[in-house]
């Protein structure tokens, strides 16, 4: 029986824009910068403002698609070593989000953990979240942080600072050819 949260029923969204935002954060961290580059932040803010509500919803769905893709990769990678991705990823994600109290409100953390568990079990994060109502403004930064932290986790496992971004970009390129 198919789940109503099956990714086949979910909008893919603007994965390219979501990937650009995650990649931008990854690049700022790779450059040993802890704070956000004001120029980069301004460009990101301008981009988000320019897309309008429909575009913002598409970027939101794109971020959820990234989380699904990242968790699928992690699920397969950990399974090859007879480990459970959810067991390896979620505690670290929750602990890291808890260390960001200025950016991440505590009440958003269980939602992000649930989102990652949903993705790790093959469910669409956006459809899983939709069961509980609309996204809130307070969940936008935690969602971006979650996608970023999953990408950083993949990059750490592969010892390649661009692996997660390249993996998704290659997937997008392949789907465009098909």
């Amino acid at each position: 029986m198919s789940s109503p949260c099956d990714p086949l029923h979910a909008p893919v969204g603007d994965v390219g824009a979501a990937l650009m935002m995650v990649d931008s954060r990854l690049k700022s961290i790779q450059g040993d910068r802890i704070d956000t580059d004001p120029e980069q932040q301004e460009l990101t803010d301008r981009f988000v403002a320019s897309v309008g509500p429909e575009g913002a919803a598409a970027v939101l769905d794109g971020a959820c698609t990234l989380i699904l893709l990242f968790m699928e990769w992690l699920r397969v990678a950990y399974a090859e070593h007879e480990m459970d991705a959810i067991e390896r990823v979620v505690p670290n994600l929750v602990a890291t989000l808890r260390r960001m109290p200025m950016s991440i409100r505590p009440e958003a953390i269980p939602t992000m953990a649930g989102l990652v568990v949903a993705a790790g079990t093959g469910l669409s994060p956006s459809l899983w979240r939709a069961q509980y109502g609309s996204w809130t403004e307070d969940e936008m930064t935690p969602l971006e942080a979650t996608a970023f932290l999953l990408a950083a986790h993949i990059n750490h496992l592969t010892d390649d600072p661009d692996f997660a971004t390249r993996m998704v970009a290659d997937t997008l390129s392949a789907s465009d050819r098909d």
Side-chain angles (χ1 to χ4, degrees):
M1 176 189 276
S2 178
S3 166
C5 294
D6 189 301
L8 293 174
H9 306 298
V12 174
D14 192 343
V15 177
L19 184 62
M20 176 195 73
M21 293 174 79
V22 168
D23 187 53
S24 173
R25 294 282 185 213
L26 288 168
K27 297 285 189 236
S28 70
I29 297 298
Q30 291 168 5
D32 292 330
R33 293 184 58 113
I34 305 236
D35 58 333
T36 303
D37 176 15
E39 185 177 316
Q40 185 64 39
Q41 187 61 49
E42 181 183 342
L43 289 171
T44 301
D45 292 345
R46 274 190 189 162
F47 171 75
V48 171
S50 73
V51 297
E54 286 181 20
V59 174
L60 185 67
D61 287 334
C64 287
T65 299
L66 283 180
I67 290 169
L68 180 67
L69 291 171
F70 292 155
M71 282 305 294
E72 178 60 21
W73 187 90
L74 287 163
R75 188 188 62 73
V76 170
Y78 278 116
E80 287 176 2
H81 299 283
E82 298 181 10
M83 296 179 198
D84 179 47
I86 293 170
E87 178 184 0
R88 296 291 179 172
V89 173
V90 174
N92 185 47
L93 174 77
V94 168
T96 304
L97 291 174
R98 289 185 67 194
R99 288 191 299 258
M100 304 170 143
M102 293 178 66
S103 302
I104 311 292
R105 294 180 63 141
E107 56 271 19
I109 295 172
T111 303
M112 297 307 117
L115 201 69
V116 169
V117 170
T121 58
L123 300 176
S124 161
S126 58
L127 293 178
W128 175 85
R129 176 60 182 87
Q131 298 176 100
Y132 305 104
S134 299
W135 288 96
T136 67
E137 184 69 32
D138 289 340
E139 292 172 328
M140 298 300 101
T141 299
L143 180 66
E144 181 183 358
T146 298
F148 162 80
L149 290 169
L150 292 175
H153 189 93
I154 290 170
N155 291 348
H156 176 74
L157 288 176
T158 60
D159 199 27
D160 180 344
D162 298 314
F163 187 88
T165 301
R166 191 173 53 253
M167 171 187 64
V168 175
D170 291 349
T171 301
L172 290 174
S173 294
S175 70
D176 284 346
R177 285 191 299 267
D178 293 341

